[in-house]
């Protein structure tokens, strides 16, 4: 993708949102109060069973339903309507309402920054579910399993960063793109507070805490928070980005380490994908200590052996490694070790 100053979207591959949900919002830092934004253009009932398949049925007269289950993850389910014009995302598990609000706010601001995102058609909640309805995005999801696919994904991550990695004035690191009472005073505090209590007893804890505190990680910027190839939807020359519920404010290095981690894990966990193009991945410029943090965060959220699969030798190599290519290679070795010890993807 090529970029010319003043030409937003057409030359970069990112299609700007044509009709932002709240266009008065300043995407570079103004607060957005989700309570004041009327998003409830659709109402849906709870899931029901039809013909052995789960559906979400819109009430009579609603223009988008009924919906049928398409994908299920630990913390969300995605439904598509029968006409293929809309999909519904149901937030489950941890703080569903808060994740819903964060996603809608981030998508609105990202659209204002020239990023293609799904149009929000409605959002709301019932006693049993929290949901958002989006307009269907035509196109195909990205992949890292081919040389061209990996090259495209890395370029898309870099191009997305040029748009969203802006520093909102007067803000601190934290979850979501709005300031809150739970914001962290430093990048290190933001990263370390995401670990479980069990992680604090690990032998690497003090080492990681110290090196993250000494690392110059740059300004606080907007982050996507969950960069995977399948979250980039391409249609012709245009690219849209989905799944913003893990958005945050923090150092650019978090998004780069996240993209690198997901690429390595997905390739290494799929049969026949052991040859990694580290020369492409080094373009992400993920610092070793932040990559160590991202690897440990993954292991901390996995069942046994979980953190027990973390090789102290690999962790210390990552924490001390200044070269991006070697960061990628060491991280790949550490993920392979976890795979061989039975850590689930």
């Amino acid at each position: 993708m090529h970029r010319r100053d003043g030409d937003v979207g057409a030359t970069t591959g990112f299609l700007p949102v044509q009709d932002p949900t709240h266009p008065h919002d300043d995407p570079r830092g103004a607060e957005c109060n989700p309570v004041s934004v009327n998003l409830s253009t659709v109402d849906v009932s709870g899931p029901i069973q039809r013909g052995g398949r789960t559906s979400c049925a819109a009430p009579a007269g609603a223009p988008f339903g009924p919906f049928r289950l398409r994908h299920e993850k630990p913390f969300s389910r995605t439904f598509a309507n029968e006409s293929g014009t809309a999909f519904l995302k149901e937030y489950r598990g941890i703080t569903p309402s808060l994740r819903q609000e964060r996603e809608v706010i981030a998508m609105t601001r990202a659209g204002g920054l020239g990023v293609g995102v799904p149009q929000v058609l409605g959002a709301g909640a019932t006693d049993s579910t929290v949901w958002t309805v989006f307009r269907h995005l035509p196109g195909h999801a990205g992949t890292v399993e081919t040389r061209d696919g990996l090259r495209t994904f890395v370029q898309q991550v870099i191009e997305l960063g040029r748009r969203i990695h802006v520093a909102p004035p007067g803000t601190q690191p934290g979850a979501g793109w709005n300031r809150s009472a739970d914001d962290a005073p430093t990048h290190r505090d933001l990263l370390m507070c995401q670990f479980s209590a069990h992680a604090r007893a690990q032998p690497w804890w003090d080492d990681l805490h110290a090196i993250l505190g000494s690392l110059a990680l740059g300004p606080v910027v907007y982050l996507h928070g969950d960069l995977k190839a399948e979250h980039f939807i391409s249609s012709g020359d245009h690219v849209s980005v989905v799944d913003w519920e893990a958005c945050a404010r923090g150092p650019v290095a978090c998004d780069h380490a996240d993209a690198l981690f997901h690429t390595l894990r997905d390739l290494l966990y799929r049969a026949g994908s052991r040859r990694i193009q580290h020369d492409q991945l080094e373009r992400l410029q993920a610092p070793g200590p932040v990559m160590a943090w991202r690897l440990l965060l993954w292991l901390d959220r996995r069942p046994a052996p979980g953190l027990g699969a973390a090789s102290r030798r690999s962790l210390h190599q990552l924490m001390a490694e200044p070269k991006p290519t070697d960061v990628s290679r060491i991280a790949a070795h550490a993920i392979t070790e976890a795979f061989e010890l039975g850590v689930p993807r």
Side-chain angles (χ1 to χ4, degrees):
M1 291 182 285
H2 304 287
R3 185 186 188 199
R4 294 198 304 265
D5 291 337
D7 189 355
V8 176
T11 58
T12 64
F14 284 96
L15 179 62
V17 169
Q18 300 300 316
D19 183 20
T21 306
H22 21 292
H24 60 276
D25 212 19
D26 177 2
R28 294 182 181 270
E31 288 296 302
C32 167
N33 179 3
V35 177
S36 69
V37 180
N38 181 16
L39 295 175
S40 297
T41 59
V42 184
D43 190 15
V44 294
S45 66
I48 61 175
Q49 293 293 327
R50 289 186 178 176
R53 300 180 66 186
T54 304
S55 300
C56 272
F64 305 115
F67 293 88
R68 291 188 179 275
L69 181 65
R70 290 293 181 265
H71 302 289
E72 185 161 2
K73 298 179 180 180
F75 297 106
S76 66
R77 295 194 298 178
T78 303
F79 301 78
N81 68 350
E82 293 180 347
S83 63
T85 58
F87 67 95
L88 181 147
K89 181 175 183 179
E90 178 190 24
Y91 305 82
R92 310 170 73 192
I94 302 171
T95 59
S97 296
L98 190 57
R99 286 161 44 217
Q100 175 204 51
E101 290 181 359
R102 288 171 179 167
E103 182 160 42
V104 172
I105 290 169
M107 287 174 56
T108 300
R109 293 191 182 165
L113 293 168
V115 179
V117 294
Q119 182 185 3
V120 177
L121 300 176
T126 68
D127 291 340
S128 60
T129 186
V130 177
W131 51 268
T132 304
V133 176
F134 303 95
R135 189 175 299 281
H136 171 72
L137 287 173
H140 61 275
T143 179
V144 293
E145 294 193 24
T146 66
R147 179 173 292 274
D148 287 344
L150 178 60
R151 184 184 301 111
T152 297
F153 171 61
V154 170
Q155 184 60 36
Q156 287 172 340
V157 169
I158 293 170
E159 197 61 55
L160 177 65
R162 289 173 181 163
R163 296 188 177 280
I164 70 168
H165 289 162
V166 297
T171 192
Q172 292 178 286
W177 283 16
N178 265 2
R179 294 185 289 272
S180 78
D182 296 325
D183 287 352
T186 67
H187 288 318
R188 175 177 65 183
D189 293 323
L190 171 70
L191 302 184
M192 298 301 286
C193 77
Q194 297 181 46
F195 287 112
S196 69
H198 174 64
R200 297 173 183 270
Q202 299 299 310
W204 46 262
W205 177 269
D206 289 339
D207 295 334
L208 184 61
H209 187 272
I211 198 164
L212 288 175
S214 66
L215 203 62
L217 290 174
V220 178
V221 302
Y222 290 140
L223 302 171
H224 178 276
D226 193 18
L227 289 176
K228 306 175 183 178
E230 64 254 39
H231 290 169
F232 290 82
I233 310 299
S234 300
S235 178
D237 293 332
H238 300 300
V239 179
S240 296
V241 187
V242 301
D243 277 9
W244 294 78
E245 64 180 89
C247 64
R249 289 155 289 125
V252 170
C254 282
D255 264 353
H256 288 180
D258 193 55
L260 176 57
F261 166 76
H262 281 127
T263 300
L264 293 173
R265 183 195 62 179
D266 288 351
L267 289 174
L268 291 165
Y269 268 67
R270 291 170 183 165
S273 298
R274 300 305 178 97
R275 298 179 64 181
I276 309 295
Q277 300 172 50
H278 295 288
D279 59 328
Q280 287 294 324
L281 292 173
E282 72 174 343
R283 298 178 60 208
L284 294 173
Q285 298 290 304
V290 181
M291 193 61 199
W293 163 80
R294 185 61 185 87
L295 175 66
L296 288 165
L297 194 65
W298 168 60
L299 293 174
D300 192 27
R301 295 171 178 176
R302 291 295 175 273
L307 287 172
S311 162
R312 194 167 188 182
R313 179 168 178 246
S314 294
L315 290 176
H316 283 169
Q317 285 180 318
L318 271 178
M319 291 181 203
E321 183 52 60
K323 298 178 181 178
T325 302
D326 290 336
V327 167
S328 180
R329 295 182 190 280
I330 297 168
H333 179 71
I335 293 171
T336 300
E337 289 180 322
F339 171 78
E340 292 174 346
L341 288 172
V343 174
R345 178 178 175 275

